[in-house]
Amino acid sequence: MPMPRDEHQPVPEEPAPLRVIGTRPPLYGAVDKVTGRAVFGADISLPGLLHGKVLRSPHAHARIVSIDTSRAESYPGVHAVVTARDLPEGAGERFERDNTLAGDKVLYVGHPIAAVAAESPHIAEEALALIDVQYEVLPPVLDVRRAMEADAPLLHEALRTWSLAGQAASPSNVAEHLQHVKGDPERGFAEADVIVERSFTTTMVHQGYIEPHASTALWHPDGSVTVWTCTQGAFPVREHLSSLLHLSMARIRVVPTEIGGGFGGKASSYVDVVAALLARKAGRPAKVVMGRDEVLKATGPTPGTFIRVRMGARRDGRIVAAEAELCYEAGAYPGSSVGSGADTIFACYDIPNARVDGYDVVVNKPRTSSYRAPGATPAVFAVEQVVDELAERLGIDPLEFRLLNCAREGTRRVSGQPYPRVGFAEVLEAARAHPHYRAPLGGPNRGRGIAFGYWGNWAGQSCCTISVNADGTVSLLSGSVDVSGALTGIAMQAAEELGLELEQVQVRVADTASIGYTDVSAGSRTTFGTGLAAIEAACDVIAQMCARAARLWGVPVETVSYDRAAFTTSLDPTKRLSFRELAAQLSATGGPVMGRGNVDGDVLRRGGAPGLHIADVELDPETGKVTVLRYTAVQDVGRAVHPGNVEGQIKGGVAQGIGWALYEGCFYGEDGQLLNPTLLDNKLPTAMDIPEVEPVIVEVPDPVHPYGVRGAGETPIVPVAGAIANALYRITERRMERLPMTPAYILERMGVI
Amino acid sequence: MPMPRDEHQPVPEEPAPLRVIGTRPPLYGAVDKVTGRAVFGADISLPGLLHGKVLRSPHAHARIVSIDTSRAESYPGVHAVVTARDLPEGAGERFERDNTLAGDKVLYVGHPIAAVAAESPHIAEEALALIDVQYEVLPPVLDVRRAMEADAPLLHEALRTWSLAGQAASPSNVAEHLQHVKGDPERGFAEADVIVERSFTTTMVHQGYIEPHASTALWHPDGSVTVWTCTQGAFPVREHLSSLLHLSMARIRVVPTEIGGGFGGKASSYVDVVAALLARKAGRPAKVVMGRDEVLKATGPTPGTFIRVRMGARRDGRIVAAEAELCYEAGAYPGSSVGSGADTIFACYDIPNARVDGYDVVVNKPRTSSYRAPGATPAVFAVEQVVDELAERLGIDPLEFRLLNCAREGTRRVSGQPYPRVGFAEVLEAARAHPHYRAPLGGPNRGRGIAFGYWGNWAGQSCCTISVNADGTVSLLSGSVDVSGALTGIAMQAAEELGLELEQVQVRVADTASIGYTDVSAGSRTTFGTGLAAIEAACDVIAQMCARAARLWGVPVETVSYDRAAFTTSLDPTKRLSFRELAAQLSATGGPVMGRGNVDGDVLRRGGAPGLHIADVELDPETGKVTVLRYTAVQDVGRAVHPGNVEGQIKGGVAQGIGWALYEGCFYGEDGQLLNPTLLDNKLPTAMDIPEVEPVIVEVPDPVHPYGVRGAGETPIVPVAGAIANALYRITERRMERLPMTPAYILERMGVI
């Protein structure tokens, strides 16, 4: 990979100033998307298309005694009914398989059991009622701490806790116990002058994307299948289909449609296999579109958690010890985000002695999925209140306290490696310098809180190709789907590297048959990782074009270079070709030029993105209603490729964080029924609920990226609940130990009710 | 390019035997295509789609005085009416522009003048009648020889003959006069003992593809356009749109649909610009689908010709002199296939002294387009009867006479370069050895003729990418559309190079936004040229995977090689990884692997494909009806990648050749009206008309291709008319000087009528 520039490398003389990166062009396809003209998952239509509907469990925990589909199969207009028996023998991982179509047990309300394909969605729904399922209902376990008890109902009789000590002997709902230790926590706490310990619980929260999951499958006579789906990553859907259908990847083509929100929730595949099974059995294409209730009942919430944090500091303000216990609800199958919660909880600080214990726990609720900075928000909600309390007890300004203790380049993380260059201090200093931090609150029942958050980012694997057109424009093919305007950021990096204007770069999202493996658009990786792939493809283009120029001029290729949109040779100052001029000559000098970029960004020692948020809130002491008055979010984004888009990410993350902090959540009855399966009852913030959020971009370039880019999309949600909780403390003198901080909870904490 | 293996290079020990090349797998997508499930040009549907129809000239030659579209514009259901005035000022080459929508003159019956987009095709047709065009009708010129006369009506007042001497001073219908000279023709004829001279005329013939042209355009809010079209090459359509719409290539995406026949006629763009103009003006997507009469009146016939051939031979059988004059009808605009006619006419023979004169002549008929071996069939029809007559006059067996005079490696062509290795003699020897050549004719009124033909093939520019999937399969993206099963042949070469089975190769046709520039699928170039691109992409994949294996094993990459589907290192015989095993480890060893192939096959000194045909025919002396009884086609194909598909090409080419020889043609009245604008009147051969054709594959590998492939698709049409004419001579003792050789013409030649 030619791009990563070592920061210790001598800087070339007079580097060309950036022309495209840092500008704010309109996003690709934005008008098509907001006007609905773009093709989203549910928009796919094919001749002879059947409509699929899924039968879901009414019970949170039950054994399936029998399934009789015969009445549904003979219902007029029904073309296929499928159950887990239609999955190939032994295909796929057991848990993947069972979550797609239940095997012998159902584990949550909404668990898919069977599906029907019919001439219309209405017929399919009617036929669902004709499927006779006999259950043996079992007691559910819904709370993470209850699930960890020895006598709790067991979801998986074969599940044994995995930990560093190996696999436990007896069954448990705890799938994994992970631990990070740094220094000597006991000695650390012995040194501390002040120790704070608190416990926190947070509720499952749904990602709340507006577009429900939708998938359409078409089988071809040669036994191959095309699947159109709204997803954050077409390739993982292909792998999932390959595994569960026992089908070679060469027989699957996944075409990603435009996507109406994902936030991590569309990194999982729910209805793709079901659509494929229905289409195969019916011999006609089949589409499955989820209803809103299905989305809220059976897809991707982020874990509810129980988190205990204990921290100790010396009188001089130095944090000397910390420990945390994180218990995360995985939902029905193992795989919560406790790992990244544990990774993030102390990530902002340089703590010499620390221990983190994480528990991945199954409960009778839907399998959890990623949600923007998965696992980090509850952890930071917890730790930032404890840090705030420590500062208060020590009489130190909370921002100064964080600056005193913040991680720096070389600080070893509790969870592992030392940090490369990351702008923790720069972010804190920018926040301190911001007028908001010292502005008067301007009224009673108002408080200001801050919280410090971090997301480690991911880079993942990406592919791009860039083809040169004869008029000097180029066509960029991206393996990544266009989430959050990432495609524009990727194209901007290609344009910058190629010395072109952005409008000279045509850009398209590839299907899985058209480019190399590319990971999901998630983990704040896309602008960074797929950007690197685009840069690598651009470098490949430039190298090939240098060779053409060398051939045209009869000079050695090593003497040809490309800078400021011109090819020149060191041997003859009169020779000069612009990109456009050389592009016009490619056909006559050896044919077309297409470059490729194949990147694994995770081989690079990249840094994450810290963010410090300042929240002013007002509390109505009678109703407990909280109004966010002013909000400033300071963040190190490395380099803002498209500052407007980065600001949009920050504003969007803060908006989601405010919803999570104050009212969002999936609330379950004791029987495991989701009590709020509509967007009326599962309130998402609207424009009326969110103040003007001021994003403050700090640019501490990441040296492993040629333009210094860091992922920026997830950090904005991480500190929000913590900042609001700390603001509420200033008003209520109560620490908030629960999310969401609903009016009822706040009044309860205040002893009003 | 790593592939071209020099024939003089030492052959590696025990080369791996070919596993995929030479087999006969089912063609990709064949069932979808023959069942109509594949998406062809007219199948595209979009929300809000408008339907376009084209107003065409009723006159063969007229000046347009005025066009009034106001009544059509106000007709209910009409959304846009366009004329040449809607083309951007100065966009495109004049002739391209005028053939798309007429400027100040119409030059043939069917010439597009205006187009309407409406809610339905019926409304659009009704509105066409409301467009008022005032013409000043001019006398047409329809015959190539009449058009060359000094007093002929002029189509283009500004057209001046271009020749080696430069541009002529006075206007003419002759666009170009080309000339090839070798040796001293006059001295050659002086040496000759026998001289034969004859003149021939042939009629325009339509390619007769079953699917009419269809194009759909959708404009996006950012000013870019997507066009779905049935074409032999999406990139040339993009270039055409870019030129005529004055639009950057980065703003155009051409998506090639499946294509229902082309044979060269879909290498031209007719309705793409019209659909784009209508869609832009209407603000809604628009589709234009031609009717059959529009196809036959206004698209791609191959030129009608007048050809004079004179050849001289010595008593010993050696041809010593030849001259030819080829006058080709270009149709309304310059650009007939006279160049390749002139290139082909003496291509099969080693003639020391020769002169060829070619004339490209405009007439008031539709602009001609390529048709399978463009220009070659009339030339070979002519020359092969003269050669036959020379052999007869000298008393030499016609096959022996051709063998005595055939071109060989190193023979300098009349039109230029010496030949590389081409199997002229091998083909003749295979024909001589074939039982057909000596088999009894078995009845009266029967005759056997042979003809020798050649097509020089084209290689052109092509791009492919190959991406490696984690299960060891690969995905191949082709810049070439799938004409004649070429996609399967391309994938077979990739599979061969990668050591995979064909079913492990997924293959897709790219749109213009997804891959590098790729020329039309034409000129027998696709299996050769895009095959080379696929091989180059495979080599790129292998090189990257060798580097991964080297990293895994900790050995220098130079020690790693790939052979027989396994990576090994010369440093350690215990190390071995299959393709599949290494594919599974790519993600963990540096990320995805995608290879690219960018090829200009024309930089290689490749050879063409000679073919010798043997035809047995029976003539009904009362009606003049000809029945082809037995047909054998011997051809050097280099290496048959898919022998079944090559045989299909040979059979298809012979079938088309029989139609052309005996009854096909575009017949015009004196006023320039096409007299047979339906497939009822423009008879194409059916299964009832064609005998079982026996293809005989001769494999003289082309050393510039790693597997020896030569283009094979065009030669099969070239000798057919000549072979049938020579067979008819044996019955009638008359040389056939006209195509088609209809019963009426044959009876006339025989003096019966």
Side-chain angles (χ1 to χ4, degrees), chain A residues 628-653:
Chain A
V628 183
L629 299 169
R630 184 176 180 182
Y631 205 100
T632 302
V634 186
Q635 185 174 325
D636 174 14
V637 304
R639 170 100 63 193
V641 174
H642 186 304
N645 204 24
V646 169
E647 290 162 6
Q649 286 292 311
I650 293 176
K651 291 177 185 182

Side-chain angles (χ1 to χ4, degrees), chain B residues 91-171:
Chain B
E93 305 259 332
R94 175 70 191 273
F95 292 149
E96 285 293 331
R97 185 184 168 97
D98 285 352
N99 197 40
T100 301
L101 285 167
D104 55 346
K105 281 179 87 175
V106 286
L107 297 172
Y108 55 98
V109 173
H111 196 150
I113 297 168
V116 171
E119 296 288 342
S120 78
H122 315 295
I123 295 173
E125 257 171 21
E126 285 164 15
L128 289 185
L130 302 177
I131 299 173
D132 182 22
V133 185
Q134 298 294 321
Y135 301 94
E136 177 197 338
V137 178
L138 304 170
V141 59
L142 300 162
D143 173 78
V144 64
R145 274 173 298 174
R146 168 72 186 123
M148 294 171 79
E149 289 169 7
D151 66 342
L154 283 176
L155 276 73
H156 306 282
E157 286 75 4
L159 189 66
R160 304 281 186 278
T161 305
W162 187 93
S163 69
L164 276 176
Q167 197 149 34
S170 50

Side-chain angles (χ1 to χ4, degrees), chain A residues 418-663:
Chain A
Y419 278 111
R421 188 161 173 224
V422 176
F424 290 103
E426 288 85 344
V427 163
L428 291 171
E429 282 157 5
R432 186 170 58 180
H434 193 278
H436 184 181
Y437 192 59
R438 302 288 172 202
L441 279 164
N445 295 313
R446 294 182 173 188
R448 174 171 299 146
I450 64 166
F452 202 18
Y454 181 76
W455 180 249
N457 295 338
W458 178 42
Q461 308 195 8
S462 290
C463 289
C464 286
T465 59
I466 295 178
S467 302
V468 181
N469 304 327
D471 65 356
T473 63
V474 298
S475 299
L476 165 63
L477 189 66
S478 156
S480 287
V481 301
D482 188 21
V483 175
S484 319
L487 211 54
T488 307
I490 294 162
M492 289 172 78
Q493 294 174 69
E496 189 72 60
E497 194 71 27
L498 291 168
L500 299 178
E501 302 305 319
L502 183 61
E503 53 266 34
Q504 294 174 289
V505 181
Q506 180 177 39
V507 57
R508 288 288 300 173
V509 173
D511 62 42
T512 61
S514 304
I515 207 160
Y517 180 86
T518 299
D519 278 312
V520 285
S521 291
S524 294
R525 76 169 211 84
T526 317
T527 304
F528 177 88
T530 309
L532 285 178
I535 293 168
E536 183 174 297
C539 291
D540 187 13
V541 163
I542 291 168
Q544 292 178 66
M545 288 178 73
C546 283
R548 294 300 172 85
R551 194 179 311 171
L552 273 169
W553 294 331
V555 301
V557 66
E558 312 81 59
T559 72
V560 178
S561 60
Y562 184 66
D563 188 32
R564 291 173 172 77
F567 295 89
T568 52
T569 169
S570 56
L571 292 186
D572 183 349
T574 68
K575 299 269 190 259
R576 192 178 184 285
L577 281 169
S578 70
F579 189 90
R580 188 191 180 97
E581 287 164 345
L582 187 51
Q585 296 191 52
L586 294 179
S587 170
T589 58
V593 165
M594 170 176 48
R596 56 149 166 78
N598 306 333
V599 164
D600 179 3
D602 286 319
V603 303
L604 304 171
R605 204 173 137 259
R606 74 189 181 285
L612 188 290
H613 289 198
I614 311 170
D616 292 0
V617 308
E618 181 172 73
L619 176 70
D620 181 330
E622 284 184 33
T623 64
K625 181 179 192 303
V626 175
T627 305
V628 183
L629 299 169
R630 184 176 180 182
Y631 205 100
T632 302
V634 186
Q635 185 174 325
D636 174 14
V637 304
R639 170 100 63 193
V641 174
H642 186 304
N645 204 24
V646 169
E647 290 162 6
Q649 286 292 311
I650 293 176
K651 291 177 185 182
V654 170
Q656 289 188 310
I658 289 174
W660 193 343
L662 297 177
Y663 33 77

